[in-house]
Amino acid sequence: MRASRLLSILTTLQARGQVTAPELADACEVSVRTIYRDIDALAAAGVPVYADRGAEGGYRLLDGYRVRLNGLSQPEAEALFMTGLPGPAAALGLEPAMLAAQTKLMAALPANLRPNAGRMQERFHLDAPSWFGEAEQPKHLRAIASAVLRENLIEIRYQSWRAEKRRRVAPLGLVLKGGNWYLAGQVDGSVRTYRVARVLDCSVLDEHFVRPADFDLAAYWQTATIRLEAEMHPNTATVRLSPFGIKLLNALSQPYVKTRTRIEETADAGRPWIVRSNVVASQADIHREWGGVVPELASRQHVRDICGVVERALEQASLRLDEIDGVAVTEGPGLVGSLLVGVSFAKSLAAARKLPLVPVHHLAGHIESLFLQNGPLALPSAVLVVSGGHTSLYLVTAPGAYRLLGRTRDDAAGEAYDKVAKLLGLGYPGGPVVDRLARQGNDRAIDLPLTRITHADRNAPQLPGRLDFSYSGLKTAVLRHVESRKAAGAWPPSDQEVADLCASFQRVVVESLLDRLFAAAGQYGAASAGIAGGVSANSRLRADALATGEKVGLPVYIPSLALSTDNAAMIAAAGLRRFAAGVRAGADLNADASLTL
Ligand code: KG4
Ligand code: ZN
């Protein structure tokens, strides 16, 4: 600490009479340059230290000078209150006095306490200006500070908001806020705040003033700041930001962001949409009760839900029905009863409101969830759509253009998850439970075979065949395993065995999906790969896909979990794309349970 070093320089000089800078540097274990600066500081603090030049030269104190280390002078005593604030103290011109006071304080301490005394200064630091703010160096600060201390009236010329003014002020106190100095001064009986940097001229008068006995600087400042802040930001601004900018906004501090009243996303060229609401009415509870989807129950529940869902979607988007420009609806594929509810509702709504109606393929919705999530994709992109009803591989050659490369010959991957979960008594839907349990299991514990398709399908000779999937064999293998365990009397299984079975099943599914996806990407020269549909919520599939993408140097797109499983936003996104392309449906639109894409 500097004060303790100054002290040891002083005592060395007193004891030895004459000492050279290198000797002092040795004794204090600092550089010679530091000693030069310390000697300057001692001289500035009023210690009569002299340099004798020449070979025999060195520093010495004025003959007979004995510093009284424990008697503080008035400026030193005043400066003591600024000892923790070296920056502001220097701005007020109190630095030499402060250093001298610290040295004396140090001297007054018993030697064994000295090392500890420096701890505060070494461990706490004040940086007064706020971020992006510059510390001011007001010209008249020192003069005003001395007038404050000595209670002299001052006459100032200053720049107010409107004009240059002259005032005779009784300076009551100084405040440093965010790097700026403010003067609390009394004029004509009332106290006002002046920014010291705006003081153009200041003369300190000989005349003294009487400081009001009840004036409390801290209390005054608190009320003054509340008033000032209200005056400082009278207007609000509307600022347009990119999605990245909105993210950064949360990290931005005053004075750039005062209050954020409302953050509202708007579309831009890369993402010509914003999702204002995405309401999903899940029927999972009903299906769980029946161990799977009962088509008749599903469509009846759709009838009950659909009005409320549309109302909520509008409400969350803060939109009225007459502000809507079009209606998009899933025409297929899927359960015909459920599809019909949506198609009939959408047709009625469009007709009643004279709105254009846009038909959407369910899987196109899943593919568009990737654009919704990521903005423009690197094309062409190999995209896997894996859901409860489908496992299909597409090449997206241009936005809205999908070419089928392969699909499952029997069960869908999600369906396999649901059936295996049912077999193990894990409930509906199976995907999320199996996913969760698999994390605790050994994925090599049970050897489950997977059918590998090597030849074209007679029913779809245009497809290469090698990119097709098959999961019914896997499902049967799990069934066989369960039956053999039952026959061996090893049923019900332990938690670990269930976890092992889930992990082993999941490994085979995920490996087969990624194998075909990356094979297709390579074969068709894709610039990226994507995975969409309910099964893309699977944690292992997501992690392995990203890892493989990284390994082979291919960007991999996955929707957020909310956009993975069936949702309204993806249908709206696909609808928007077709709407822009001029696609419209007439009043004869019908649901198509096996619509192809
Ligand atoms: O796309 P989606 O919501 O509905 C259909 O279009 O079918 O997909 C639902 C399917 C269900 O089979 C469900 O078990 C599966 O997605 N799924 C999962 C996971 N979450 C949902 N499969 C594996 N792991 C998951 N985490
Ligand atoms: Zn789906």
Side-chain angles (χ1 to χ4, degrees), residues 361 363-364 367 381-385 390-397 401-407 517 520 528 530 595-597:
H361 191 285
L363 296 195
I367 295 172
S381 183
V383 175
L384 184 65
V385 185
H390 290 84
T391 300
S392 305
L393 196 48
Y394 287 92
L395 189 69
V396 180
T397 49
Y402 325 110
R403 177 177 160 201
L404 183 67
L405 302 179
R407 80 271 194 266
L517 173 63
S528 64
L595 189 68
T596 54
L597 178 71

Tab-separated table of all heavy atoms in Angstrom, residues 361 363-364 367 381-385 390-397 401-407 517 520 528 530 595-597:
chain	number	residue	atom	x	y	z
A	361	HIS	N	-51.056	-29.516	-46.155
A	361	HIS	CA	-50.721	-30.918	-45.872
A	361	HIS	C	-50.055	-30.965	-44.501
A	361	HIS	O	-49.153	-30.174	-44.209
A	361	HIS	CB	-49.765	-31.441	-46.955
A	361	HIS	CG	-49.567	-32.931	-46.906
A	361	HIS	ND1	-48.793	-33.531	-45.956
A	361	HIS	CD2	-50.067	-33.931	-47.690
A	361	HIS	CE1	-48.815	-34.837	-46.148
A	361	HIS	NE2	-49.580	-35.104	-47.203
A	363	LEU	N	-47.856	-32.866	-43.149
A	363	LEU	CA	-46.400	-33.017	-43.116
A	363	LEU	C	-45.679	-31.766	-43.626
A	363	LEU	O	-44.569	-31.462	-43.180
A	363	LEU	CB	-45.958	-34.246	-43.921
A	363	LEU	CG	-46.436	-35.601	-43.390
A	363	LEU	CD1	-45.643	-36.724	-44.049
A	363	LEU	CD2	-46.322	-35.705	-41.883
A	364	ALA	N	-46.334	-31.020	-44.545
A	364	ALA	CA	-45.739	-29.749	-44.978
A	364	ALA	C	-45.663	-28.817	-43.767
A	364	ALA	O	-44.699	-28.068	-43.603
A	364	ALA	CB	-46.582	-29.118	-46.085
A	367	ILE	N	-42.628	-29.791	-41.839
A	367	ILE	CA	-41.398	-29.316	-42.504
A	367	ILE	C	-41.249	-27.800	-42.295
A	367	ILE	O	-40.157	-27.308	-41.998
A	367	ILE	CB	-41.423	-29.658	-44.012
A	367	ILE	CG1	-41.394	-31.182	-44.193
A	367	ILE	CG2	-40.240	-29.014	-44.733
A	367	ILE	CD1	-41.600	-31.648	-45.631
A	381	SER	N	-32.236	-29.288	-48.644
A	381	SER	CA	-32.121	-29.836	-47.305
A	381	SER	C	-32.806	-31.204	-47.245
A	381	SER	O	-33.910	-31.362	-47.773
A	381	SER	CB	-32.782	-28.877	-46.308
A	381	SER	OG	-32.626	-29.353	-44.992
A	382	ALA	N	-32.124	-32.190	-46.647
A	382	ALA	CA	-32.742	-33.499	-46.441
A	382	ALA	C	-33.514	-33.419	-45.132
A	382	ALA	O	-32.929	-33.138	-44.094
A	382	ALA	CB	-31.671	-34.577	-46.363
A	383	VAL	N	-34.831	-33.620	-45.203
A	383	VAL	CA	-35.659	-33.449	-44.000
A	383	VAL	C	-36.422	-34.735	-43.685
A	383	VAL	O	-37.112	-35.293	-44.535
A	383	VAL	CB	-36.652	-32.275	-44.170
A	383	VAL	CG1	-37.585	-32.196	-42.971
A	383	VAL	CG2	-35.897	-30.960	-44.333
A	384	LEU	N	-36.281	-35.148	-42.432
A	384	LEU	CA	-36.961	-36.344	-41.935
A	384	LEU	C	-38.197	-35.883	-41.169
A	384	LEU	O	-38.081	-35.041	-40.284
A	384	LEU	CB	-35.984	-37.053	-41.000
A	384	LEU	CG	-36.361	-38.377	-40.390
A	384	LEU	CD1	-36.514	-39.435	-41.463
A	384	LEU	CD2	-35.284	-38.788	-39.392
A	385	VAL	N	-39.348	-36.411	-41.532
A	385	VAL	CA	-40.559	-36.088	-40.763
A	385	VAL	C	-40.969	-37.355	-40.021
A	385	VAL	O	-41.340	-38.350	-40.644
A	385	VAL	CB	-41.700	-35.599	-41.670
A	385	VAL	CG1	-42.884	-35.161	-40.818
A	385	VAL	CG2	-41.241	-34.439	-42.545
A	390	HIS	N	-46.389	-40.954	-39.396
A	390	HIS	CA	-45.498	-40.919	-40.560
A	390	HIS	C	-44.033	-41.031	-40.183
A	390	HIS	O	-43.629	-40.564	-39.125
A	390	HIS	CB	-45.679	-39.610	-41.337
A	390	HIS	CG	-46.995	-39.550	-42.030
A	390	HIS	ND1	-48.127	-39.132	-41.368
A	390	HIS	CD2	-47.364	-39.859	-43.293
A	390	HIS	CE1	-49.154	-39.196	-42.210
A	390	HIS	NE2	-48.713	-39.634	-43.382
A	391	THR	N	-43.277	-41.635	-41.097
A	391	THR	CA	-41.822	-41.569	-41.036
A	391	THR	C	-41.413	-41.404	-42.488
A	391	THR	O	-41.448	-42.354	-43.263
A	391	THR	CB	-41.230	-42.847	-40.430
A	391	THR	OG1	-41.755	-42.976	-39.107
A	391	THR	CG2	-39.716	-42.789	-40.347
A	392	SER	N	-41.137	-40.189	-42.889
A	392	SER	CA	-40.886	-39.892	-44.305
A	392	SER	C	-39.676	-38.996	-44.451
A	392	SER	O	-39.414	-38.150	-43.598
A	392	SER	CB	-42.088	-39.179	-44.929
A	392	SER	OG	-43.250	-39.937	-44.739
A	393	LEU	N	-38.981	-39.216	-45.551
A	393	LEU	CA	-37.763	-38.475	-45.818
A	393	LEU	C	-37.981	-37.627	-47.067
A	393	LEU	O	-38.379	-38.149	-48.107
A	393	LEU	CB	-36.653	-39.498	-46.044
A	393	LEU	CG	-35.198	-39.093	-45.995
A	393	LEU	CD1	-34.892	-38.255	-44.769
A	393	LEU	CD2	-34.356	-40.370	-45.982
A	394	TYR	N	-37.759	-36.320	-46.952
A	394	TYR	CA	-37.979	-35.428	-48.090
A	394	TYR	C	-36.698	-34.678	-48.434
A	394	TYR	O	-35.839	-34.446	-47.566
A	394	TYR	CB	-39.050	-34.381	-47.750
A	394	TYR	CG	-40.445	-34.944	-47.696
A	394	TYR	CD1	-40.969	-35.402	-46.492
A	394	TYR	CD2	-41.224	-35.033	-48.839
A	394	TYR	CE1	-42.242	-35.930	-46.424
A	394	TYR	CE2	-42.509	-35.558	-48.787
A	394	TYR	CZ	-43.011	-36.010	-47.579
A	394	TYR	OH	-44.265	-36.537	-47.541
A	395	LEU	N	-36.634	-34.255	-49.708
A	395	LEU	CA	-35.601	-33.307	-50.088
A	395	LEU	C	-36.327	-31.989	-50.345
A	395	LEU	O	-37.207	-31.923	-51.215
A	395	LEU	CB	-34.874	-33.788	-51.350
A	395	LEU	CG	-33.622	-32.966	-51.708
A	395	LEU	CD1	-32.510	-33.208	-50.686
A	395	LEU	CD2	-33.130	-33.296	-53.111
A	396	VAL	N	-36.006	-30.986	-49.550
A	396	VAL	CA	-36.603	-29.667	-49.774
A	396	VAL	C	-35.670	-28.940	-50.739
A	396	VAL	O	-34.546	-28.577	-50.378
A	396	VAL	CB	-36.751	-28.879	-48.450
A	396	VAL	CG1	-37.378	-27.515	-48.707
A	396	VAL	CG2	-37.595	-29.664	-47.460
A	397	THR	N	-36.123	-28.799	-51.977
A	397	THR	CA	-35.238	-28.231	-53.000
A	397	THR	C	-35.328	-26.712	-53.046
A	397	THR	O	-34.359	-26.037	-53.377
A	397	THR	CB	-35.596	-28.807	-54.378
A	397	THR	OG1	-37.019	-28.687	-54.546
A	397	THR	CG2	-35.202	-30.263	-54.479
A	401	ALA	N	-41.073	-26.532	-51.821
A	401	ALA	CA	-40.983	-27.637	-52.789
A	401	ALA	C	-40.379	-28.863	-52.103
A	401	ALA	O	-39.223	-28.837	-51.696
A	401	ALA	CB	-40.126	-27.222	-53.981
A	402	TYR	N	-41.182	-29.922	-51.974
A	402	TYR	CA	-40.750	-31.103	-51.224
A	402	TYR	C	-40.759	-32.327	-52.144
A	402	TYR	O	-41.748	-32.600	-52.799
A	402	TYR	CB	-41.694	-31.372	-50.042
A	402	TYR	CG	-42.254	-30.123	-49.391
A	402	TYR	CD1	-43.607	-29.790	-49.531
A	402	TYR	CD2	-41.442	-29.269	-48.641
A	402	TYR	CE1	-44.128	-28.655	-48.936
A	402	TYR	CE2	-41.954	-28.132	-48.048
A	402	TYR	CZ	-43.303	-27.822	-48.201
A	402	TYR	OH	-43.818	-26.703	-47.624
A	403	ARG	N	-39.649	-33.077	-52.152
A	403	ARG	CA	-39.580	-34.284	-52.973
A	403	ARG	C	-39.402	-35.481	-52.048
A	403	ARG	O	-38.453	-35.529	-51.261
A	403	ARG	CB	-38.384	-34.143	-53.923
A	403	ARG	CG	-38.169	-35.365	-54.758
A	403	ARG	CD	-37.035	-35.143	-55.727
A	403	ARG	NE	-36.535	-36.425	-56.185
A	403	ARG	CZ	-35.338	-36.595	-56.709
A	403	ARG	NH1	-34.511	-35.568	-56.843
A	403	ARG	NH2	-34.948	-37.789	-57.106
A	404	LEU	N	-40.321	-36.446	-52.162
A	404	LEU	CA	-40.269	-37.620	-51.292
A	404	LEU	C	-39.112	-38.540	-51.697
A	404	LEU	O	-38.976	-38.891	-52.869
A	404	LEU	CB	-41.602	-38.392	-51.374
A	404	LEU	CG	-41.725	-39.599	-50.456
A	404	LEU	CD1	-41.751	-39.162	-48.988
A	404	LEU	CD2	-42.980	-40.410	-50.776
A	405	LEU	N	-38.265	-38.917	-50.726
A	405	LEU	CA	-37.125	-39.800	-51.011
A	405	LEU	C	-37.321	-41.196	-50.418
A	405	LEU	O	-36.769	-42.166	-50.917
A	405	LEU	CB	-35.831	-39.209	-50.424
A	405	LEU	CG	-35.395	-37.818	-50.882
A	405	LEU	CD1	-34.110	-37.422	-50.172
A	405	LEU	CD2	-35.175	-37.805	-52.404
A	406	GLY	N	-38.055	-41.269	-49.333
A	406	GLY	CA	-38.244	-42.564	-48.681
A	406	GLY	C	-39.310	-42.443	-47.609
A	406	GLY	O	-39.628	-41.339	-47.165
A	407	ARG	N	-39.878	-43.593	-47.189
A	407	ARG	CA	-40.882	-43.559	-46.116
A	407	ARG	C	-40.980	-44.928	-45.498
A	407	ARG	O	-40.390	-45.891	-45.999
A	407	ARG	CB	-42.234	-43.058	-46.607
A	407	ARG	CG	-43.077	-44.087	-47.326
A	407	ARG	CD	-42.762	-44.094	-48.803
A	407	ARG	NE	-43.755	-44.822	-49.578
A	407	ARG	CZ	-43.674	-46.093	-49.924
A	407	ARG	NH1	-42.656	-46.836	-49.521
A	407	ARG	NH2	-44.609	-46.658	-50.643
A	517	LEU	N	-31.238	-40.620	-42.892
A	517	LEU	CA	-31.225	-39.163	-43.097
A	517	LEU	C	-29.879	-38.708	-43.671
A	517	LEU	O	-29.831	-37.977	-44.675
A	517	LEU	CB	-31.498	-38.427	-41.768
A	517	LEU	CG	-31.347	-36.906	-41.810
A	517	LEU	CD1	-32.368	-36.292	-42.760
A	517	LEU	CD2	-31.530	-36.301	-40.408
A	520	ALA	N	-29.226	-40.011	-47.212
A	520	ALA	CA	-29.957	-39.217	-48.211
A	520	ALA	C	-29.265	-37.881	-48.442
A	520	ALA	O	-29.109	-37.438	-49.588
A	520	ALA	CB	-31.393	-38.987	-47.740
A	528	SER	N	-27.931	-29.144	-45.985
A	528	SER	CA	-28.282	-29.220	-44.569
A	528	SER	C	-29.211	-30.408	-44.360
A	528	SER	O	-29.664	-31.024	-45.330
A	528	SER	CB	-28.983	-27.932	-44.116
A	528	SER	OG	-30.214	-27.775	-44.789
A	530	GLY	N	-32.591	-31.776	-41.711
A	530	GLY	CA	-33.581	-31.328	-40.731
A	530	GLY	C	-34.383	-32.503	-40.208
A	530	GLY	O	-34.510	-33.531	-40.883
A	595	LEU	N	-53.931	-38.249	-47.881
A	595	LEU	CA	-53.356	-37.258	-48.799
A	595	LEU	C	-51.845	-37.458	-48.903
A	595	LEU	O	-51.171	-37.684	-47.900
A	595	LEU	CB	-53.652	-35.859	-48.244
A	595	LEU	CG	-53.349	-34.649	-49.125
A	595	LEU	CD1	-54.283	-34.614	-50.323
A	595	LEU	CD2	-53.522	-33.360	-48.307
A	596	THR	N	-51.315	-37.375	-50.112
A	596	THR	CA	-49.856	-37.542	-50.258
A	596	THR	C	-49.179	-36.187	-50.433
A	596	THR	O	-49.810	-35.206	-50.809
A	596	THR	CB	-49.526	-38.419	-51.484
A	596	THR	OG1	-50.175	-37.843	-52.615
A	596	THR	CG2	-49.982	-39.838	-51.294
A	597	LEU	N	-47.880	-36.201	-50.164
A	597	LEU	CA	-47.104	-34.957	-50.345
A	597	LEU	C	-45.917	-35.293	-51.231
A	597	LEU	O	-45.130	-36.168	-50.891
A	597	LEU	CB	-46.601	-34.430	-48.989
A	597	LEU	CG	-45.742	-33.164	-49.049
A	597	LEU	CD1	-46.567	-31.936	-49.414
A	597	LEU	CD2	-45.042	-32.921	-47.710
